[in-house]
Amino acid sequence: MAALLLAAGWAGAAWGQAGTHTLSAGPAYTGKEAKDVPQFPRIDVVVRLRDGAGVPQPLRAADLKLYSGNTELGAANSVRSFAEAGYGVKSILALDMSGSMKGGPLAAIRSTIARFVDQARDQDRVEVLTFANDTQVEVPFGADKATLAQRLQQVNSRGTETHLYDGLMDALAQLEGAPPVCRRLTVISDGHDEGSQHTIDDVIRTAVAAKVPIDSIGMTRSHPEYLEFLARISQATGGSYAQAQSPQELDGLIEQGIQAMRATPVAAFKVNGLASDGKPHTLDLRWQPEKLTVAVQVQVPLIASPWAIWGWVLAGCFVLGAVLLVVSRRRAQREAVAAVEPPRRAPTPQFVEPPAPVEPNRAVFAAAEGNKPAQATPPARAYVPTAIEAERPAEPRARAKTRMAAFFDPAQNLPKLEAIAGPVAGQSFAVSGELLIGALEGNDLAISDDPTLSGFHARVRLADQVLTIEDTRSTNGTFVNGVRLGQDRKLLKPGDEIRVGRSVFRVRSG
């Protein structure tokens, strides 16, 4: 359940403010996180625009651009919600279980949170941690929903002190460097710390360095002055703070937080001019209406350039040529020796006579039995094959059929996908590099009116004059000539038929 208790929404890795608006951005996804998300040079950036009161504002794709220094890399081509993008969040829920939370506050926490356990998605990871005199992990990451719901009903208040800051430091240590990129920490407490070895400054410094926002909800029946410590932590770390005056208000804050998180905008970019060198890059995200700029950390995957690929190809050809040269020289030497020596004559098959049978003593047989013994029949002559016949190889097996690649010269016969069925029937789409097919606007070929098509369904790619297709973990699969694709890419040739959702395309050369 991603960011279970957001009271006001998303806080990114970077912030910018101008005029009456505040812009936050981060994290950024480049396709390294999962196979079914857009691959570099496509970049997804989580972004949030708020007004002066902290209320989220809608965003238009045309108003967002990415820069590297003063160089524009590209404008956003779509904006969708975090829920639609399908990314996961790793979140820790820290609950105050000291004696001050006993009774009504604890009952409100149990009943309210348990109702929202079922809203967790498969890609989200949630841990429940409680603190009082000590810190305990009640439900670890990876626990199923039933275990999470049951354990929340069993937690009870304990101890006489509240080690609030120690509990938050323990939670931050578990989120350090943990994938996926999005991480959140939410705390419900009265804000009163007693006996912690760490200070509030330790918590703020650690959370800011790890880029983990801390959301907090304050609940108290006697000492509201301690709630200002929760507000300070959330403000300093880019999180949100709210006070719940009643169980019903706590219920509403949690529901608002979940909806705000799921509605967080994710802007999709296709950048040009950013090297795929496997290194982190700091880019600038700009909101055009007020020229508001915020820094975004992007981890670019390492992708070999075409020149490097050709270099490896040439090196492989050189090694292969050297091997063939050595083999040809050895064959020439054997042929030269054979030309000088006389040819060997195959030996003639030999028939070996069996040993002569031993003649029985006729006198002894006659005396003992009174008649002549029968003459033994000599065995037939055994056939002994020659050495050449004995070493004759077995009949060769039939070779398996190999699928040959079709080569498309971009200068002469650029491949095309001709739609012969489906919502875009009658249209033709040229493939000059990469063609991403899906239902969302971020695709090169977006078919939004097909409910059987996944958001990012399949990828067709032309590289080194070879056309391939791969399925990007779609729900209903990708088919070539009626056969569903697995996880590997498949070669395409003119005449092949591709089916994605309700659309059927035929491959043609230009």
Side-chain angles (χ1 to χ4, degrees), residues 406-409 412-418 428-430 467 493-496 506-510:
F407 294 94
F408 298 87
D409 185 356
Q412 297 180 3
N413 82 351
L414 194 67
K416 295 182 180 180
L417 299 185
E418 180 184 17
S428 182
F429 305 91
L467 190 66
K493 66 179 186 302
D496 285 347
R506 180 176 290 119
V507 179
R508 292 194 178 278
S509 61

Side-chain angles (χ1 to χ4, degrees), residues 282-340:
T282 302
L283 306 181
D284 292 329
L285 175 66
R286 182 177 299 177
W287 183 53
Q288 298 296 114
E290 293 185 9
K291 303 298 181 184
L292 186 58
T293 301
V294 64
V296 181
Q297 298 294 327
V298 178
Q299 179 63 46
V300 178
L302 179 62
I303 303 176
S305 65
W307 292 108
I309 294 175
W310 278 112
W312 284 104
V313 171
L314 293 176
C317 293
F318 176 79
V319 173
L320 180 59
V323 172
L324 293 176
L325 180 61
V326 172
V327 172
S328 62
R329 286 186 175 180
R330 290 184 178 180
R331 180 178 296 175
Q333 292 175 354
R334 289 196 299 267
E335 292 177 352
V337 172
V340 175

Side-chain angles (χ1 to χ4, degrees), residues 250-501:
L250 175 62
D251 192 351
L253 288 173
I254 295 175
E255 175 65 20
Q256 293 173 18
I258 293 176
Q259 297 303 324
M261 183 280 301
R262 293 182 176 177
T264 302
V266 179
F269 297 84
K270 187 174 183 179
V271 298
N272 297 309
L274 185 61
S276 54
D277 52 11
K279 300 179 181 179
H281 292 259
T282 302
L283 306 181
D284 292 329
L285 175 66
R286 182 177 299 177
W287 183 53
Q288 298 296 114
E290 293 185 9
K291 303 298 181 184
L292 186 58
T293 301
V294 64
V296 181
Q297 298 294 327
V298 178
Q299 179 63 46
V300 178
L302 179 62
I303 303 176
S305 65
W307 292 108
I309 294 175
W310 278 112
W312 284 104
V313 171
L314 293 176
C317 293
F318 176 79
V319 173
L320 180 59
V323 172
L324 293 176
L325 180 61
V326 172
V327 172
S328 62
R329 286 186 175 180
R330 290 184 178 180
R331 180 178 296 175
Q333 292 175 354
R334 289 196 299 267
E335 292 177 352
V337 172
V340 175
E341 296 180 353
R344 297 181 179 180
R345 181 177 299 174
T348 304
Q350 301 293 326
F351 292 93
V352 180
E353 293 286 348
V358 179
E359 187 70 21
N361 192 325
R362 299 177 184 273
V364 173
F365 277 95
E369 301 181 7
N371 56 4
K372 292 183 178 181
Q375 294 291 334
T377 304
R381 290 184 296 173
Y383 176 72
V384 180
T386 64
I388 292 180
E389 291 175 325
E391 296 178 0
R392 182 176 298 167
E395 292 295 328
R397 297 179 180 177
R399 293 185 177 180
K401 294 183 179 179
T402 302
R403 183 176 178 85
M404 304 301 294
F407 294 94
F408 298 87
D409 185 356
Q412 297 180 3
N413 82 351
L414 194 67
K416 295 182 180 180
L417 299 185
E418 180 184 17
I420 60 176
V424 294
Q427 301 183 41
S428 182
F429 305 91
V431 184
S432 59
E434 180 184 82
L435 183 72
L436 196 61
I437 305 173
L440 296 178
E441 294 182 2
N443 292 275
D444 300 301
L445 176 50
I447 308 175
S448 59
D449 54 349
D450 186 352
T452 65
L453 204 64
S454 296
F456 293 93
H457 195 106
R459 180 184 293 106
V460 179
R461 180 177 297 170
L462 179 64
D464 299 328
Q465 301 184 8
V466 175
L467 190 66
T468 60
I469 185 172
E470 63 177 318
D471 181 85
T472 54
R473 292 187 178 178
S474 65
T475 301
N476 295 318
T478 301
F479 297 81
V480 176
N481 297 329
V483 180
R484 183 166 182 164
L485 297 183
Q487 297 181 355
D488 298 328
R489 295 179 183 177
K490 185 175 183 61
L491 298 174
L492 293 175
K493 66 179 186 302
D496 285 347
E497 290 189 358
I498 303 168
R499 178 165 64 85
V500 290

